[in-house]
Amino acid sequence: MRYLIFFSLVVYWDSTAQGNCKLQSQKDSIKVYTCPVKESKYKAIKVEFLLNATYTQTVAMLLDIDNLHRWQYKTVSANLLKKISDNEIIYHTEVQTPSVTNNRDFVIDLSIHQNPNSKELEIKAISKPNYIPVKKKVVRVPFSEAIWHVKSVAPGKLSVVYEIKIDFGGEVPAWVVNMVAPLAPAETFKAMRAEIGKYKNSKIGFIVD
């Protein structure tokens, strides 16, 4: 069951390509779907949930790379590699895996965009597998694209839709990953809800609440 850890990361996937999505779990009002992906042995994941927070809190939390381990399930480490601009960074993260296989790591290009009219957020996390050398005894995830769509539905309440398409690399059986994948997002976003209150007084210059 511990293979589910791979799906905890904030990582871009075009939802229009995900047909026939199937609801796999609904716990703590977090809905997790799996979606078949053409020409891939791995299914995409789609998550829908509500978050008691502001746009500023959400962005501040995602940019706080040093503390990703507090809510991203099984994260071993996370380090900022480069700040491209106020709304775009590149970071490295490693996640724990079962003892029978090596840990996985990601290099992620995280970009955050806010619609000037609706104020809605679009957050993309695109892997850059060749950005830094691969560590010994760690498998670099060769492909990961995730996207968040975040919009306000009431004062202090956000609707979040998160989608991810990923290839884990290595020799993890696809059927195992697809079976347990829906479990990890629920743990990750449940933890996000618990932690996001710590960013209540944050200020992000390029975000308007």
Side-chain angles (χ1 to χ4, degrees):
M1 296 297 285
R2 293 174 64 190
Y3 282 107
L4 61 88
I5 61 180
F6 297 118
F7 283 89
S8 65
L9 303 174
V10 142
V11 281
Y12 167 60
W13 172 237
D14 183 357
S15 61
T16 61
Q18 300 179 16
N20 303 315
C21 292
K22 182 178 180 180
L23 180 65
Q24 296 292 342
S25 69
Q26 185 173 354
K27 184 179 180 181
D28 299 314
S29 69
I30 299 173
K31 295 181 180 179
V32 183
Y33 301 82
T34 56
C35 311
V37 179
K38 186 178 180 181
E39 300 177 352
S40 176
K41 60 185 178 180
Y42 299 113
K43 293 182 179 180
I45 295 293
K46 179 179 179 180
V47 187
E48 298 174 346
F49 63 101
L50 294 176
L51 189 62
N52 292 324
T54 63
Y55 291 129
T56 295
Q57 282 177 269
T58 304
V59 172
M61 189 172 192
L62 291 177
L63 291 177
D64 185 10
I65 302 304
D66 290 342
N67 287 302
L68 289 186
H69 67 280
R70 293 181 176 273
W71 61 280
Q72 290 195 350
Y73 190 58
K74 294 294 185 181
T75 293
V76 175
S77 64
N79 303 286
L80 179 66
L81 298 178
K82 183 178 181 179
K83 180 178 179 180
I84 297 174
S85 64
D86 286 344
N87 67 320
E88 184 175 5
I89 60 173
I90 297 176
Y91 69 94
H92 172 266
T93 185
E94 180 179 337
V95 296
Q96 180 185 350
T97 61
S99 58
V100 296
T101 187
N102 293 333
N103 284 0
R104 261 50 176 184
D105 75 342
F106 299 72
V107 176
I108 299 296
D109 186 329
L110 178 69
S111 60
I112 301 167
H113 303 277
Q114 184 172 41
N115 185 302
N117 297 315
S118 68
K119 298 183 181 179
E120 294 178 12
L121 299 178
E122 182 180 78
I123 302 161
K124 296 180 181 179
I126 313 297
S127 65
K128 298 175 71 69
N130 300 316
Y131 190 80
I132 58 175
V134 177
K135 297 167 60 178
K136 291 182 179 180
K137 298 183 179 180
V138 175
V139 176
R140 175 66 46 79
V141 171
F143 174 79
S144 175
E145 294 185 347
I147 185 167
W148 304 58
H149 291 288
V150 184
K151 67 177 180 179
S152 176
V153 292
K157 188 176 290 293
L158 304 174
S159 169
V160 180
V161 178
Y162 169 84
E163 300 166 273
I164 181 171
K165 180 183 178 183
I166 192 169
D167 180 344
F168 301 107
E171 299 180 354
V172 180
W175 70 268
V176 173
V177 174
N178 290 332
M179 179 178 66
V180 301
L183 301 179
E187 295 300 319
T188 293
F189 296 123
K190 180 180 178 180
M192 183 182 190
R193 284 173 168 172
E195 291 288 323
I196 201 163
K198 296 178 181 179
Y199 298 86
K200 186 175 182 179
N201 297 319
S202 298
K203 296 184 183 301
I204 304 292
F206 64 92
I207 295 297
V208 178
D209 286 322

